[in-house]
Amino acid sequence: MIVQRLREIQNRYGFLPDAELKKLADESGVPLHRIEEVSSYFPAFILERTNPAKIVLRVCRDATCHLRGAAQLLDNRHGLPVVAQQLTQQTGQTICVEGVSCLGRCDRAPAVWVEKRPMPPGEHAWVYCQRDQPFLEGVLRRLAADEDPPAPDTDAGYLPHTNLNRGYSQPVVGPGDEPVLEAAGWSLDIYGRQKWPRDYRAVRRFTDYLKNLGRPLLPPPRELTGQELENYIQKWHPMLVELKKANLLGMGGAGALAYQKWLDVWRASSGDTDARLEVSEKYIVCNGDESEPGTFKDRELLLRMPHLVVEGVILAGLMTGATAGYIFIRHEYHEQIEAVRQEIRRAERLGACGDNIFDSHRNFPVEVFESPGGYICGEQSALIEAMEDRRGQPRNRPPELTTNGFRDKPTVVNNVETLAWTPAIVLFGGDKYESGGWRPPPPATARWGGRRLFSVSGDVARPGVYEVPIGLPLRELLTDARYCGGIINGPLRAVATSGPSGGLLPAKLPVDPKFDERKRAEAIGKIAERSAADAAFLDWFLRTHLPVGAKELDVLELPLDLVFFRNMNSAFRLPVEPMLGAAIIVYAGQVDILEQAVNFTEFFRNESCGKCVPCRIGSQKLVQIGTELLQRRNAGQPRTGAEAERLANDVRDLYRTLQLTSICGLGYVAPIPLATALTYFPDDLLRPPTGEAEVSRS
Ligand code: SF4
Ligand code: FES
């Protein structure tokens, strides 16, 4: 694979020498223009002709790091660039300080990445977290003097805040957290909870089933549909039924039903009976490219529970008849890449991976694919493009990846967490997972299903990774002692419930007071056509938290349920569609929301792959609008009246245009941060928030 070869060359030289690119073209037979196409696209690759710096310090400039002072570190007059310039003049070697997109250490913001080119043998880039400017200046000075930098802030050495308990094989107890970690622990962590050796018993259970079946596990004939199809799956593939019962949704953001993807890929080779025996290539790809600012749960899973991820990939492979698995991990997670590689080797030694898994005559090799970088590679079709040695740009769909994925073959792409849940579902059953959802206090009978992880950062006492019952009110996650332990730095001002993608919701969400009993009943009736349970949740929620005629909703009451968030729009009549992702970022006190929204918008502009013209141009236009609003306001000449309305209309027009024309989710969501700021925080357009921040833990 070209991408991996380019990485090897870069590791050797610190950049990509032109002569080495030509040599790679000669050796591989891949035309030089194809190699140039890839090497010039990904941010991880440094071309010789760009005159690469010898020492590079990158400050994460996104969401939580921005909140924690990244802009000051990057300030051209007083920040680290001044020191870099001085050292460049003194030493004659180019030293560069620049901004970079989220590094996945948002719970320890600000995060900084430092490289020497080439890196000393055996070393990776050094990551520093929550360090002040004098410390980082010291790092630059030592590297410029050819001395070793201070020890980095490794992920393995950090004890994250979490509600995972001591059943976990590596201690994760933070200072002062003793009583909190007595909590029940993560249901996902089956081996830790049960005190089992990590012996791939879910894979063994499935291979035992295959061996006892006494015939090949054939996918259903193509003509089977409806109840006949259900009966076939029930009879021949009972563990797939467990996945269905679990109602496990993709944890990467889109929330697709995991069962459906696995079924589609299992069926992909089905035809007549003979054709079903010809198992062609099929792939499982685990998407470990989490790059949405505020998201870092996969970082913990890959590092501390790689066995669950590897086991999930193998299960997906065996249960769908796939032929190979890849775990695609962002390159900034080098400790995680190493942990997963070691775990794959361990699984091979146990006989759980590779050839003839547990004597089942089934082969399924798994390997790591190190991402060449870029947020857009988290989009599943862009990820596949990157794996195929092309620019990581999303594909037009259809065809779907389940029929035409990696190498144009049927492919399951699942998020790290989605796969990590599957061993528990295979061993304990789908009902068990489903029963783990949140229940409101009696007499309410509504009940949510399933569990999931959230990464929480920003103004909370204990930013970290928490497993929660789906449907848990946001208030509990942010304020309960078992989770984040309280909002700090003032009363809640805003919350981003899907990193930058969902924009910024205010503490009190304005709703349409004209939405009367009849309209509510209609909205609930429509939802009931799709799901009676979803309609019941909504009905309960409206009765409990939003009496008819209410003008606003306390955002802390929102249940952490993706489906509920989707249904909110029709139920509350919100001007901007709310979203729930894996990243929750909390803003308290006097945080300047317009300024944060511009930061979010810049992230989307920076990460747009440029394939769709409206996204490429529109995201830049959004940054221009936001910046202008901010500059005018800060100069004491805010846009008001007709001027402000015209700009708000421009944002709304871009919102509609990008929703209609974008190939992928980035384009859909790029206007949302500014749209939410203009809609919910109009005062921030007139003046920056002022006043002393008070400390609150409520
Ligand atoms: S919407 Fe934006 S990021 Fe997505 S494919 Fe189009 S240009 Fe690329
Ligand atoms: S590491 Fe900076 S926002 Fe994630």
Side-chain angles (χ1 to χ4, degrees):
M1 291 178 180
I2 299 174
V3 166
Q4 308 295 37
R5 291 286 303 278
L6 289 172
R7 182 170 298 288
E8 286 161 22
I9 296 170
Q10 180 152 304
N11 287 347
R12 204 171 331 133
Y13 295 94
F15 59 94
L16 297 174
D18 288 342
E20 288 292 326
L21 297 185
K22 290 195 185 90
K23 198 167 143 205
L24 175 60
D26 290 344
E27 284 172 7
S28 63
V30 176
L32 185 59
H33 71 86
R34 285 269 300 106
I35 293 176
E36 294 274 1
E37 178 192 330
V38 174
S39 58
S40 62
Y41 178 77
F42 292 106
F45 297 133
I46 317 291
L47 296 171
E48 182 177 12
R49 69 205 73 140
T50 59
N51 189 19
K54 290 280 176 259
I55 296 165
V56 184
L57 185 149
R58 291 182 167 138
V59 180
C60 167
R61 62 190 160 209
D62 288 332
T64 320
C65 292
H66 184 67
L67 183 68
R68 293 285 176 259
Q72 286 75 38
L73 294 175
L74 287 165
D75 185 88
N76 280 328
R77 285 166 304 157
H78 308 290
L80 294 166
V82 179
V83 181
Q85 206 176 15
Q86 286 166 357
L87 289 170
T88 300
Q89 282 163 3
Q90 286 164 13
T91 63
Q93 49 183 343
T94 319
I95 299 171
C96 160
V97 170
E98 59 192 24
V100 68
S101 293
C102 176
L103 293 167
R105 278 87 181 186
C106 332
D107 49 342
R108 291 178 279 157
V112 170
W113 173 273
V114 185
E115 271 176 46
K116 192 165 183 177
R117 293 178 179 153
M119 286 295 291
E123 294 263 15
H124 289 284
W126 301 282
V127 173
Y128 297 101
C129 299
Q130 291 177 309
R131 300 293 189 167
D132 59 14
Q133 187 165 322
F135 176 91
L136 295 167
E137 286 180 9
V139 172
L140 284 177
R141 288 186 204 288
R142 285 172 70 158
L143 286 171
D146 225 9
E147 293 172 13
D148 288 341
D153 298 319
T154 62
D155 292 340
Y158 175 67
L159 304 170
H161 294 295
T162 173
N163 57 341
L164 187 60
N165 78 351
R166 296 168 204 281
Y168 192 55
S169 65
Q170 296 180 39
V172 288
V173 183
D177 280 345
E178 299 296 323
V180 174
L181 291 170
E182 296 297 342
W186 289 4
S187 305
L188 177 143
D189 175 28
I190 42 168
Y191 289 96
R193 278 170 71 92
Q194 307 292 329
K195 299 194 171 35
W196 286 335
R198 297 170 170 188
D199 55 6
Y200 288 81
R201 61 187 60 199
V203 170
R204 189 179 288 278
R205 178 166 297 184
F206 188 67
T207 51
D208 284 350
Y209 170 74
L210 289 178
K211 285 189 265 182
N212 291 333
L213 198 57
R215 49 165 271 178
L217 178 60
L218 297 175
R222 196 176 290 150
E223 63 276 11
L224 281 196
T225 54
Q227 194 54 48
E228 283 184 323
L229 176 63
E230 298 285 315
N231 294 344
Y232 184 96
I233 299 168
Q234 185 78 46
K235 180 172 179 187
W236 296 109
H237 207 334
M239 286 178 211
L240 199 54
V241 177
E242 295 306 323
L243 199 62
K244 183 174 190 186
K245 284 190 205 158
N247 199 27
L248 180 68
L249 298 183
M251 304 293 183
L257 202 56
Y259 162 78
Q260 195 60 50
K261 280 191 186 179
W262 290 29
L263 176 62
D264 289 349
V265 168
W266 183 43
R267 296 193 78 185
S269 66
S270 69
D272 58 34
T273 308
D274 290 341
R276 281 188 286 150
L277 288 168
E278 293 170 13
V279 179
S280 60
E281 290 169 62
K282 297 184 198 177
Y283 297 99
I284 306 297
V285 178
C286 170
N287 184 349
D289 200 55
E290 67 171 357
S291 305
E292 177 96 23
T295 317
F296 45 89
K297 68 186 172 69
D298 295 347
R299 178 195 80 198
E300 290 302 306
L301 284 173
L302 291 164
L303 180 67
R304 302 184 200 268
M305 301 184 196
H307 56 292
L308 291 180
V309 183
V310 173
E311 186 160 23
V313 172
I314 299 168
L315 280 171
L318 295 177
M319 287 170 63
T320 60
T323 42
Y326 295 90
I327 303 180
F328 188 100
I329 306 178
R330 62 179 303 184
H331 71 97
E332 294 92 344
Y333 283 177
H334 48 78
E335 290 171 76
Q336 288 73 4
I337 288 169
E338 190 49 36
V340 174
R341 283 198 170 124
Q342 281 185 21
E343 183 59 32
I344 292 169
R345 300 288 89 82
R346 198 179 73 83
E348 287 168 350
R349 287 196 299 276
L350 288 172
C353 179
D355 290 343
N356 192 20
I357 292 175
F358 291 142
D359 298 320
S360 64
H361 304 294
R362 293 285 299 273
N363 305 332
F364 189 74
V366 179
E367 65 179 90
V368 170
F369 188 99
E370 191 174 336
S371 167
Y375 167 76
I376 201 62
C377 280
E379 199 280 340
Q380 52 182 341
S381 64
L383 176 155
I384 296 292
E385 290 286 297
M387 289 179 66
E388 292 182 351
D389 290 330
R390 286 194 286 271
R391 292 184 159 212
Q393 293 182 313
R395 293 179 181 174
N396 282 308
R397 288 187 281 159
E400 297 299 330
L401 299 180
T402 46
T403 52
N404 300 76
F406 183 46
R407 296 179 180 146
D408 210 27
K409 303 293 181 195
T411 303
V412 171
V413 182
N414 277 151
N415 170 259
V416 166
E417 185 192 341
T418 314
L419 288 161
W421 276 109
T422 57
I425 291 168
V426 164
L427 288 171
F428 295 112
D431 287 339
K432 174 81 178 156
Y433 170 80
E434 211 276 336
S435 68
W438 187 73
R439 290 162 191 260
T445 52
R447 176 180 84 73
W448 272 263
R451 297 176 71 84
R452 61 171 296 183
L453 302 180
F454 283 101
S455 318
V456 189
S457 62
D459 289 328
V460 288
R462 290 205 313 275
V465 181
Y466 297 95
E467 183 192 299
V468 304
I470 288 177
L472 182 82
L474 179 60
R475 180 187 304 283
E476 279 197 45
L477 175 62
L478 301 189
T479 64
D480 195 285
R482 289 168 300 160
Y483 305 113
C484 298
I487 295 166
I488 60 168
N489 298 330
L492 179 68
R493 181 132 212 269
V495 58
T497 51
S498 184
S501 300
L504 292 136
L505 302 181
K508 303 288 179 204
L509 197 57
V511 295
D512 184 352
K514 296 199 271 321
F515 206 47
D516 59 18
E517 196 77 59
R518 185 181 58 81
K519 288 179 186 154
R520 284 182 175 205
E522 276 172 17
I524 291 170
K526 277 201 187 116
I527 291 164
E529 286 168 18
R530 297 195 302 269
S531 162
D534 292 348
F537 304 150
L538 190 60
D539 185 41
W540 168 81
F541 184 85
L542 291 173
R543 287 182 197 291
T544 313
H545 296 297
L546 205 59
V548 172
K551 293 189 180 138
E552 56 185 28
L553 168 69
D554 186 342
V555 79
L556 290 176
E557 301 303 343
L558 287 175
L560 295 168
D561 173 26
L562 179 74
V563 180
F564 184 90
F565 265 67
R566 285 182 183 155
N567 289 336
M568 265 164 67
N569 224 24
S570 55
F572 309 163
R573 295 269 172 93
L574 295 173
V576 186
E577 201 170 327
M579 295 177 65
L580 181 68
I584 293 184
I585 310 172
V586 179
Y587 297 88
Q590 300 300 319
V591 173
D592 183 345
I593 296 302
L594 179 58
E595 208 258 342
Q596 300 297 327
V598 173
N599 174 263
F600 282 9
T601 313
E602 285 171 341
F603 168 77
F604 291 124
R605 185 269 319 267
N606 296 340
E607 296 296 335
S608 167
C609 78
K611 184 168 175 172
C612 323
V613 176
C615 173
R616 187 172 71 229
I617 310 280
S619 57
Q620 173 58 20
K621 178 72 184 163
L622 287 161
V623 170
Q624 276 170 3
I625 294 173
T627 307
E628 192 199 328
L629 287 169
L630 201 55
Q631 286 172 347
R632 290 280 302 245
R633 185 204 69 180
N634 290 349
Q637 299 168 330
R639 291 280 191 197
T640 53
E643 279 183 334
E645 190 48 37
R646 181 179 57 76
L647 289 174
N649 278 337
D650 285 352
V651 172
R652 279 191 283 271
D653 283 350
L654 282 165
Y655 187 25
R656 279 190 291 271
T657 307
L658 265 65
Q659 291 225 323
L660 288 170
T661 57
S662 297
I663 290 178
C664 84
L666 187 150
Y668 302 148
V669 301
I672 290 181
L674 215 46
T676 49
L678 300 186
T679 306
Y680 299 132
F681 300 89
D683 288 352
D684 283 34
L685 255 62
L686 304 176
R687 65 194 75 82
T690 53
E692 287 301 308
E694 31 176 300
V695 175
S696 124
R697 283 188 177 258
S698 60

